[in-house]
Amino acid sequence: MNSHAEARHFTERTTAEQREIYERAKSPRVRSSKREVRNPLLALAGVAALRSLPIEVRQQLADAARAIQADARDRADKCWRKHKAPMAAYWKAVGVYAGHFARAIKDPNNG
């Protein structure tokens, strides 16, 4: 195969791959309804132990986690406005996991 034919073959293959990626992106995605997928903390043994605590203690922990979540979100927004993307991503993740934690320990039946 000469270089022109190779280039054309590569372009055709790439175009077909791009079309396939585009079609996959257009199709609706089905999200898992499994609790452990939506809240990965539920799969941890330590969280299972926390869920056995009295409801009053779990409520206090959940309230503290929600306060951490709100503070982390504020810090993420502040970092983003200051063009500090790595720290914004860090604080965003802290907020997400604080929310996961709050929901994981609040109700042992629902998570």
Side-chain angles (χ1 to χ4, degrees):
M1 209 182 264
N2 64 28
S3 62
H4 180 67
E6 287 175 0
R8 190 181 63 216
H9 175 70
F10 176 77
T11 303
E12 290 170 359
R13 187 184 74 217
T14 303
T15 304
E17 289 171 356
Q18 289 172 341
R19 241 183 265 118
E20 181 182 341
I21 291 169
Y22 175 74
E23 290 301 321
R24 267 191 274 144
K26 280 192 343 183
S27 67
R29 293 199 174 102
V30 178
R31 292 183 64 195
S32 175
S33 61
K34 292 181 181 178
R35 291 175 29 211
E36 294 78 15
V37 172
R38 293 199 173 238
N39 188 345
L41 295 184
L42 293 173
L44 301 176
V47 172
L50 289 171
R51 289 167 68 112
S52 67
L53 292 172
I55 186 71
E56 298 82 17
V57 174
R58 287 188 285 121
Q59 186 62 49
Q60 289 176 343
L61 287 171
D63 290 345
R66 277 193 219 88
I68 291 169
Q69 180 184 35
D71 188 26
R73 284 180 175 172
D74 291 342
R75 288 172 185 249
D77 290 341
K78 183 178 177 183
C79 288
W80 187 255
R81 285 192 307 273
K82 289 184 172 186
H83 305 287
K84 298 182 180 225
M87 286 307 296
Y90 170 78
W91 286 115
K92 185 74 170 176
V94 168
V96 168
Y97 273 91
H100 281 319
F101 180 77
R103 284 185 298 281
I105 64 171
K106 184 175 179 189
D107 185 0
N109 297 320
N110 292 328

